């Protein structure tokens, strides 16, 4: 009996010693990590401009991902579904609320982003995806698949919402975008460009906090709300325009921005070209600019850079 108690006491003693060793080891590892971070910060402070900009255009995504390998990984199908579902929910939110309710849009965008982030990274917007590709955070093939998924998601959101409206025989008109008049081309284009730059900048900065979906979602949601506030003020106060911005090419397409009638074929094609330039080309250019501004300022400040390889995701 005494031998049994002695064995139990010995086992407990060994377990306690093991826990103590583990605790000391974790503290030591934490101290070493802090020391490495301090050393890295000190090194960054002493770097030249050329050293800070090193690798600016290098790949930041998995280098093994290309058109021949991407479809062999089941994760891509989950990512595509995530983009479809997320964009669909965002489209339904915008249709029901319009783009002039930043508080509600902030709440919805934050929730949707957090829910979808683990599936695809929650781009939910072609201008974001193009910015990701331009700064080489995403492969070209993944970017193309995401944009197609976003268009499908926006179409589903429009279809479902329109279907419910028709089924209920509601007399309430859903928010719609105002038609761009001939003299307002550059005004609306500038609004879309500025909005895209702001939104892309926020998303690029949020990408630094992607290990915390909550923080990421809050930054992205706040970015969209701030974007809406700024461009709403610009369009209303300075350009005397209303309901003329979307800052999302996939969702803008679903709002039937492309004309389907005209006096002749040339007029129809001219209208299509104008609409695509305003609501697709300018926002995607703005997305690229916003991402590059974020990338440049991040490196210039000496902020530690991280890629999307497996070692950095851990």
């Amino acid at each position: 009996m005494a031998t049994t108690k002695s064995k139990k006491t010995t086992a407990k003693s060994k377990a306690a010693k093991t826990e103590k060793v583990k605790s000391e080891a974790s503290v030591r590892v934490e101290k070493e990590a802090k020391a490495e971070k301090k050393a890295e910060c000190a090194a960054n402070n002493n770097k030249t401009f050329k050293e800070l900009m090193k690798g600016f255009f290098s790949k930041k995504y998995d280098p093994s991902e290309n058109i021949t390998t991407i479809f062999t990984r089941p994760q891509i199908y989950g990512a595509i579904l995530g983009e479809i579902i997320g964009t669909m929910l965002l489209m339904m939110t915008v249709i029901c609320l319009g783009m002039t309710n930043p508080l509600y849009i902030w709440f919805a965008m934050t929730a949707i982003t957090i829910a979808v982030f683990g599936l695809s990274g929650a781009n939910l917007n072609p201008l974001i995806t193009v910015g990701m590709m331009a700064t080489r955070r995403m492969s070209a093939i993944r970017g193309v698949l995401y944009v197609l998924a976003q268009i499908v998601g926006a179409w589903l959101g429009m279809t479902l919402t329109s279907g419910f409206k028709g089924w209920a025989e509601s007399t309430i008109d859903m928010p719609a975008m105002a038609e761009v008049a001939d003299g307002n081309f550059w005004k609306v284009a500038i609004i879309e460009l500025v909005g895209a730059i702001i939104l892309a900048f926020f998303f690029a900065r949020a990408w630094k906090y992607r290990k915390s979906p909550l923080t990421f979602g809050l930054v992205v949601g706040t970015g969209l709300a701030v974007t809406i506030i700024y461009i709403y003020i610009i369009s209303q106060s300075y350009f005397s325009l209303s309901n003329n911005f979307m800052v999302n090419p996939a969702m803008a397409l679903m709002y039937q921005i492309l004309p389907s009638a005209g006096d002749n074929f040339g007029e129809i094609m001219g209208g299509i070209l104008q609409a695509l330039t305003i609501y697709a080309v300018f926002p995607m250019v703005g997305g690229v600019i916003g991402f590059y501004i974020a990338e440049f300022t991040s490196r210039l400040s000496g902020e530690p850079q991280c890629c999307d390889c497996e070692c950095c995701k851990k």
Side-chain angles (χ1 to χ4, degrees):
M1 192 74 176
T3 305
T4 304
K5 287 182 178 180
S6 177
K7 287 181 178 179
K8 287 182 177 180
T9 303
T10 304
K12 287 181 180 179
S13 178
K14 286 182 178 180
K17 287 181 179 179
T18 303
E19 287 297 324
K20 185 178 180 181
V21 171
K22 286 182 179 179
S23 178
E24 290 175 352
S26 62
V27 171
R28 186 168 60 254
V29 170
E30 187 176 343
K31 286 182 178 178
E32 290 175 355
K34 287 182 179 178
E36 287 178 2
K37 192 171 183 180
K38 285 182 180 179
E40 185 179 359
C41 290
N44 283 334
N45 290 333
N46 295 323
K47 282 182 177 179
T48 64
F49 180 82
K50 186 177 180 180
E51 288 173 333
L52 288 171
M53 294 299 128
K54 185 179 179 181
F56 190 86
F57 296 103
S58 62
K59 288 182 180 179
K60 303 170 188 67
Y61 60 88
D62 185 354
S64 66
E65 183 172 283
N66 54 57
I67 194 169
T68 61
T69 62
I70 193 169
F71 294 107
T72 62
R73 303 170 181 176
Q75 291 84 354
I76 187 62
Y77 302 106
I80 291 171
L81 285 173
E83 286 295 304
I84 291 174
I85 294 169
T87 310
M88 178 189 74
L89 293 173
L90 185 58
M91 185 75 200
M92 294 172 73
T93 301
V94 170
I95 290 174
C96 294
L97 299 176
M99 287 290 282
T100 56
N101 294 281
L103 180 60
Y104 297 139
I105 295 293
W106 169 81
F107 180 80
M109 185 65 182
T110 300
I112 294 169
T113 299
I114 294 172
V116 177
F117 177 74
L119 301 174
S120 65
N123 286 194
L124 313 182
N125 192 329
L127 75 85
I128 297 296
T129 301
V130 170
M132 292 279 284
M133 287 191 289
T135 50
R136 308 195 77 181
R137 286 178 168 88
M138 180 180 291
S139 65
I141 180 61
R142 180 180 287 268
V144 170
L145 293 174
Y146 272 29
V147 170
L148 293 175
Q150 290 153 8
I151 294 172
V152 171
W155 174 78
L156 284 174
M158 175 64 80
T159 302
L160 287 173
T161 309
S162 300
F164 281 123
K165 181 179 182 296
W167 178 58
E169 296 182 356
S170 173
T171 56
I172 300 175
D173 293 329
M174 293 183 293
M177 292 176 65
E179 185 176 351
V180 178
D182 293 337
N184 293 331
F185 174 87
W186 285 108
K187 292 180 181 179
V188 181
I190 290 171
I191 290 170
E192 288 283 321
L193 179 68
V194 171
I197 292 173
I198 297 171
L199 183 59
F201 178 82
F202 267 88
F203 191 95
R205 293 304 302 150
W207 197 246
K208 295 290 181 181
Y209 308 101
R210 60 189 180 278
K211 291 183 179 180
S212 171
L214 176 60
T215 305
F216 179 85
L218 287 170
V219 175
V220 171
T222 303
L224 180 57
V226 169
T227 301
I228 291 172
I229 291 170
Y230 279 161
I231 59 181
Y232 181 76
I233 292 172
I234 292 172
S235 61
Q236 288 276 353
S237 302
Y238 297 99
F239 293 158
S240 300
L241 301 172
S242 60
N243 298 328
N244 46 39
F245 58 85
M246 182 58 65
V247 202
N248 188 318
M251 291 166 54
L253 284 173
M254 295 307 114
Y255 260 101
Q256 298 179 348
I257 59 167
L258 303 181
S260 58
D263 294 336
N264 52 62
F265 182 74
E267 183 178 319
I268 295 174
M269 291 305 297
I272 291 174
L273 182 61
Q274 174 179 280
L276 288 176
T277 302
I278 293 174
Y279 294 110
V281 176
F282 273 90
M284 288 192 284
V285 170
V288 174
I289 294 172
F291 265 89
Y292 271 119
I293 291 174
E295 182 80 5
F296 181 77
T297 52
S298 171
R299 288 177 176 273
L300 196 62
S301 68
E303 185 177 54
Q305 303 300 312
C306 186
C307 61
D308 285 338
C309 60
E310 292 304 317
C311 61
C312 290
K313 290 179 180 179
K314 294 178 182 178

